[in-house]
Amino acid sequence: MRESQVQRRFLEKLDDLGIYYVRVIMASKAGCPDVIACFPGGKFVGLEFKGSGGKLSPLQKYNFEKIIKSGGVPIMVDEQFSIEEVFNV
């Protein structure tokens, strides 16, 4: 499955759940997640979407670490990821 398909399906689920999110089209910071979201309880979530076999780049891993240190939750979403997993983080 292509990254765009993974993203579209996941964002449809976020819409259905009423979750606020913003797709990052162009960022001033390299390695920024594809989508920034605010989950129930005010939890900051950075979502990076990957197609089949996709992996995080070293810069994306670095940004994931920064998000964690700031109290947020970074998540790599691929075709096997389910939205229910987000709420168990």
Side-chain angles (χ1 to χ4, degrees), residues 42-44 62-74:
K43 186 168 293 239
F44 174 93
Y62 170 80
N63 282 310
F64 268 35
E65 290 171 13
K66 297 290 276 184
I67 291 169
I68 291 167
K69 286 180 182 176
S70 297
V73 178

Side-chain angles (χ1 to χ4, degrees), residues 6-81:
V6 172
Q7 187 177 78
R8 185 180 66 250
R9 288 181 181 182
F10 196 86
L11 294 182
E12 286 173 358
K13 291 179 183 181
L14 291 184
D15 284 331
D16 290 345
L17 293 169
I19 302 293
Y20 177 80
Y21 67 87
V22 175
R23 289 181 56 218
V24 179
I25 305 300
M26 191 161 141
S28 61
K29 185 175 191 109
C32 180
D34 297 321
V35 171
I36 304 297
C38 185
F39 277 70
K43 186 168 293 239
F44 174 93
V45 179
L47 300 163
E48 180 63 39
F49 294 91
K50 296 293 180 185
S52 297
K55 296 181 181 180
L56 294 175
S57 71
L59 185 55
Q60 289 169 328
K61 288 178 184 178
Y62 170 80
N63 282 310
F64 268 35
E65 290 171 13
K66 297 290 276 184
I67 291 169
I68 291 167
K69 286 180 182 176
S70 297
V73 178
I75 300 172
M76 187 183 94
V77 180
D78 61 17
E79 60 195 10
Q80 297 182 3
F81 191 88

